[in-house]
Amino acid sequence: MRIRLKYLFLILLWMSVPVAGFGALIIEITEGVEGALPVAVVPFDTSELSSEIPVDVGEIITNDLNRSGVFKAMDRNALVARPNYSAQVQYSRWRDAGIELLIVGRIFQKAPGEYDIQFQLLDVLKQNQLLGYSLPVKKRKLRSAAHEISDLIYEQITGTRGAFNTRIAYIKSQSEEARKYILQVADTDGFNAQTVLESDEPLMSPSWSPDGQSLAYVSFENKRPEIFIQHLASAKRSKISGFKGINGAPSWSPDGKNLALVLTKDGSADIYIMNIASKRLRRLTRHRSIDTEPVWSARGESIIFTSDRSGAPQLYEIAVKGGKPKRITFEGKYNSAASVSPDGKYIAMVHAERGQYKIAQYERETGNLTVITDSSLDESPSFSPNGKMVLYASTEGNNGVLYAVSIDGRAKHRLSDQSGDIREPVWGPYKRRRKR
Amino acid sequence: MKRYFSISSLSLTGMVVILVSSCATVQEMPIQDDAADRQLQEEVTTADGTIAGDSDGVYATAMSDETLTAQQLLEQTDTVLANRTVFFEFNSAKLTDKSLAILEAHGNFVAGNGNVSLRLEGHADERGSREYNIALGDRRAQSSRQVLLFQGASIDQIDTVSYGEEQPAMLGHTEEAWAGNRRVEIIYRVN
């Protein structure tokens, strides 16, 4: 008996160690992940410029690379030298400092308000150039160009396209005297926030059009939930669904032609598909339970949704052409708000265990469910367009804050430049590639 | 539906008592609150000569609920109708006995006052996903609506909406705040 107890204690100890280690690892993420590639980004040379440049391109790249969890950038103050192009580089000094990749660059003035950013990605060990580009850029697009460089570096090293130069949408709420609800779009690092819509009544559930030009969302501006579509550049908006009862959870199909949505006009909450051009509706689910939060599979042939038909919310999948829904999740008593990775291999979701709401990732092939966040009120997971990160909302005090976590849960970062109560983040699609 | 029937037939009797007692409270108020006012009224009636009696019974009839507008009834703070919020368990739209009694009182009132309409606003606590909570708040508003309809309120008199977790009544991440936010609010409109 004594031995057994001892044995049990050992098992418990063994079980608790990796959990604690996992937590500690996440806290250290801003410092970089174990196994992350050591890189150095030298501040880009701006000495040729006639006036001061408003953006620190090198710093943006440094932050992007660190956030990915794939790279660990050397502190700027610790840089062993400050070369600006390959010919100035003494590789041995960087190798001795443990650096494997070096990024150097120069910014030239092309015309007033127009720049040319030249950069090189250098392999310290092989002492050669992996990547070299000259990017023409307008002043207001400087931050975007820096993210573009991060994307190129990320793709060169990992083989996967980077998603730094994309945008996110989210809902922000400010409670001064009267509560205001604001739909905003920002860069993936939280900068360049722009207001899309402001309202005295709740705004919810933003969904990107696959071309990144428009957002669908729910607005309570008429004291009830209705679905609107808004073109971002022109701010032109139209109500697309204003039936009696709930009009909710819009989700744009991958081909951009249809919207999956939730209506209660025929009874309990069910999933419908609306053709955006014709506004024609087709009912997809028919059940007295709650069916909600539809999202499209990667190729658009099925819809994954939340239903409490089993008694508690779980994820189900149904073919877009109709049929019998198939239950996907069985682990835990609360699984909802699915986000499908662009390759279709993973589903991120809100997963509750013992009253703690976390983000979990489900691998479709193996059926493995992995919890990837560690607070108690996490929600609204949304995959990055390259499927490597999951953006989600968490809570700090009475405010919502945004985080992004790598799909394996190892790298996590909080989005900067935030104030107010922020929630429901959705990661936008890739922008069109620049012609090269 | 069957359950509503059996409980509501019981509490209908209760409702009569409640309504009667609420009338009584109204009648008593001016008398107790302001003796001078009552005196003035008595003088007027005496001058008219139409009402000779000064008994409380005669006076009470004049102030019966026919003269109280629906608005006035709703403004009373010590009746069942003054309860404008019903609460729910986690992830549930099931009505407690107390909620049922409150909703039945509102149902009777609405059924008896054609010029009154109301809006049932369903809410959820912050836990879980937001659109699921919208659907949950809707389910709570719908189960409340069923009670009102059963008491004789007409479909046109009742509007429902769900705000999910978007408009909490209480801030914070405690059991207490969550319980206070899992609710249906009854918002009246008197035409």
Side-chain angles (χ1 to χ4, degrees):
Chain A
M1 194 60 195
R2 220 187 130 123
I3 295 163
R4 262 200 203 161
L5 270 177
K6 217 173 177 179
Y7 185 59
L8 184 71
F9 174 74
L10 274 174
I11 291 172
L12 285 174
L13 191 72
W14 177 78
M15 276 165 62
S16 66
V17 165
V19 172
F22 188 70
L25 197 69
I26 275 178
I27 294 162
E28 284 171 8
I29 284 318
T30 48
E31 305 296 318
V33 185
E34 205 180 316
L37 263 174
V39 303
V41 184
V42 180
F44 282 21
D45 177 24
T46 56
S47 60
E48 300 284 320
L49 298 178
S50 48
S51 60
E52 208 175 320
I53 185 166
V55 170
D56 188 335
V57 173
E59 189 184 39
I60 295 170
I61 297 169
T62 303
N63 291 338
D64 282 349
L65 297 182
N66 275 334
R67 280 189 292 128
S68 71
V70 174
F71 304 94
K72 178 183 160 38
M74 186 180 226
D75 192 288
R76 193 173 264 196
N77 300 320
L79 294 174
V80 296
R82 302 235 163 178
N84 299 122
Y85 50 97
S86 54
Q88 294 179 333
V89 174
Q90 287 178 270
Y91 285 104
S92 56
R93 294 188 66 187
W94 295 101
R95 192 190 57 220
D96 293 347
I99 295 300
E100 290 183 30
L101 295 169
L102 183 63
I103 293 138
V104 294
R106 290 180 287 181
I107 305 176
F108 300 100
Q109 194 96 42
K110 264 177 76 182
E114 282 184 49
Y115 303 93
D116 202 30
I117 307 178
Q118 291 180 7
F119 82 94
Q120 290 170 298
L121 170 66
L122 306 169
D123 185 328
V124 172
L125 304 181
K126 288 184 182 151
Q127 308 198 0
N128 63 1
Q129 177 182 308
L130 296 174
L131 211 58
Y133 274 108
S134 177
L135 299 180
V137 58
K138 294 208 168 69
K139 193 173 178 178
R140 62 183 181 86
K141 295 268 189 187
L142 271 167
R143 288 197 72 92
S144 174
H147 293 307
E148 213 179 333
I149 293 169
S150 305
D151 282 349
L152 292 167
I153 294 166
Y154 185 91
E155 184 165 2
Q156 178 65 35
I157 301 304
T158 67
T160 303
R161 188 172 173 186
F164 302 109
N165 189 27
T166 53
R167 289 185 298 172
I168 60 168
Y170 52 86
I171 307 288
K172 184 170 173 172
S173 152
Q174 280 169 339
S175 51
E176 280 124 30
E177 272 174 33
R179 192 166 276 271
K180 283 231 180 285
Y181 300 84
I182 306 164
L183 171 58
Q184 286 191 327
V185 165
D187 293 348
T188 52
D189 54 5
F191 284 86
N192 270 341
Q194 288 174 296
T195 295
V196 174
L197 188 73
E198 198 173 317
S199 176
D200 294 337
E201 300 294 332
L203 297 173
M204 283 182 76
S205 307
S207 170
W208 286 93
S209 64
D211 64 3
Q213 305 285 304
S214 303
L215 284 173
Y217 54 83
V218 173
S219 170
F220 281 73
E221 64 197 67
N222 297 317
K223 301 269 182 190
R224 47 194 229 91
E226 296 169 318
I227 299 171
F228 290 78
I229 286 180
Q230 183 168 333
H231 184 253
L232 296 176
S234 67
K236 215 177 264 176
R237 62 197 292 262
S238 64
K239 190 199 294 183
I240 190 154
S241 182
F243 293 100
K244 193 175 172 296
I246 292 176
N247 297 268
S251 173
W252 229 296
S253 65
D255 66 5
K257 289 177 185 159
N258 296 296
L259 211 59
L261 68 164
V262 172
L263 302 173
T264 52
K265 70 182 185 71
D266 302 315
S268 66
D270 276 308
I271 315 287
Y272 293 72
I273 307 281
M274 180 189 273
N275 180 286
I276 295 169
S278 70
K279 299 248 171 76
R280 201 157 47 199
L281 268 183
R282 187 163 56 84
R283 189 174 180 178
L284 193 59
T285 67
R286 195 178 293 266
H287 199 281
R288 47 189 284 274
S289 67
I290 290 172
D291 291 348
T292 187
E293 298 166 343
V295 288
W296 299 76
S297 64
R299 270 185 244 100
E301 76 285 0
S302 68
I303 297 279
I304 291 152
F305 64 100
T306 308
S307 175
D308 72 341
R309 57 187 65 200
S310 71
Q314 295 291 346
L315 297 185
Y316 291 78
E317 184 170 31
I318 184 171
V320 169
K321 61 181 196 297
K324 197 175 180 292
K326 209 179 121 204
R327 184 167 165 179
I328 298 175
T329 53
F330 291 91
E331 218 168 303
K333 286 187 180 137
Y334 196 115
N335 292 299
S336 71
S339 171
V340 181
S341 68
D343 62 7
K345 288 180 179 165
Y346 296 93
I347 300 171
M349 69 193 80
V350 174
H351 171 80
E353 47 186 34
R354 289 180 301 260
Q356 306 266 304
Y357 292 76
K358 299 168 195 289
I359 306 301
Q361 161 260 96
Y362 173 83
E363 192 179 7
R364 300 210 72 173
E365 198 185 315
T366 60
N368 286 340
L369 188 102
T370 312
V371 175
I372 55 174
T373 69
D374 59 357
S375 348
S376 59
L377 286 167
D378 298 336
E379 59 182 21
S380 306
S382 172
F383 266 101
S384 63
N386 65 3
K388 297 296 176 192
M389 303 287 285
V390 177
L391 184 64
Y392 67 98
S394 190
T395 301
E396 282 174 10
N398 281 332
N399 279 336
V401 288
L402 304 188
Y403 278 88
V405 61
S406 59
I407 181 77
D408 60 6
R410 294 180 69 208
K412 191 175 85 171
H413 67 269
R414 185 179 187 273
L415 268 73
S416 59
D417 199 29
Q418 294 180 2
S419 60
D421 179 16
I422 303 182
R423 64 280 184 113
E424 293 199 89
V426 272
W427 209 314
Y430 283 126
K431 292 176 188 176
R432 232 182 303 164
R433 271 188 203 264
R434 194 192 275 254
K435 285 197 186 88
R436 308 203 287 259
Chain B
M1 240 18 213
K2 225 172 190 173
R3 194 170 138 264
Y4 287 152
F5 186 79
S6 57
I7 295 173
S8 58
S9 55
L10 262 177
S11 53
L12 254 180
T13 335
M15 267 310 300
V16 176
V17 177
I18 290 158
L19 277 178
V20 167
S21 62
S22 65
C23 291
T25 357
V26 177
Q27 290 152 7
E28 282 162 16
M29 274 171 67
I31 301 165
Q32 288 176 341
D33 279 8
D34 204 330
D37 212 34
R38 192 193 167 207
Q39 243 175 11
L40 186 71
Q41 291 222 13
E42 279 179 345
E43 277 166 23
V44 173
T45 28
T46 317
D48 272 349
T50 45
I51 298 166
D54 60 352
S55 77
D56 281 2
V58 175
Y59 185 75
T61 311
M63 283 292 287
S64 78
D65 61 345
E66 282 164 58
T67 62
L68 276 182
T69 62
Q71 185 67 50
Q72 285 169 320
L73 280 169
L74 288 173
E75 280 165 7
Q76 291 168 14
T77 55
D78 52 358
T79 66
V80 186
L81 289 184
N83 290 303
R84 300 291 162 79
T85 312
V86 292
F87 298 97
F88 297 82
E89 293 298 308
F90 173 67
N91 198 18
S92 166
K94 204 183 273 177
L95 296 164
T96 62
D97 287 351
K98 191 186 170 196
S99 298
L100 198 59
I102 292 169
L103 290 165
E104 281 169 351
H106 285 283
N108 279 321
F109 175 73
V110 172
N113 291 276
N115 62 329
V116 162
S117 59
L118 59 78
R119 182 173 154 98
L120 298 168
E121 295 187 349
H123 299 268
D125 71 33
E126 63 178 343
R127 292 173 292 171
S129 51
R130 287 179 178 260
E131 283 285 358
Y132 181 80
N133 282 337
I134 286 282
L136 186 57
D138 179 67
R139 193 186 259 173
R140 285 171 179 158
Q142 294 307 331
S143 67
S144 305
R145 178 175 175 265
Q146 285 305 319
V147 179
L148 268 63
L149 292 179
F150 192 80
Q151 296 307 114
S154 95
I155 286 172
D156 307 333
Q157 286 176 290
I158 309 164
D159 183 25
T160 61
V161 70
S162 172
Y163 283 100
E165 60 174 288
E166 306 305 312
Q167 297 200 321
M170 294 172 77
L171 288 179
H173 315 297
T174 59
E175 288 290 347
E176 189 195 1
W178 292 332
N181 289 330
R182 293 188 300 264
R183 68 202 194 275
V184 165
E185 290 185 11
I186 303 159
I187 318 271
Y188 271 97
R189 215 180 89 183
V190 180
N191 300 312

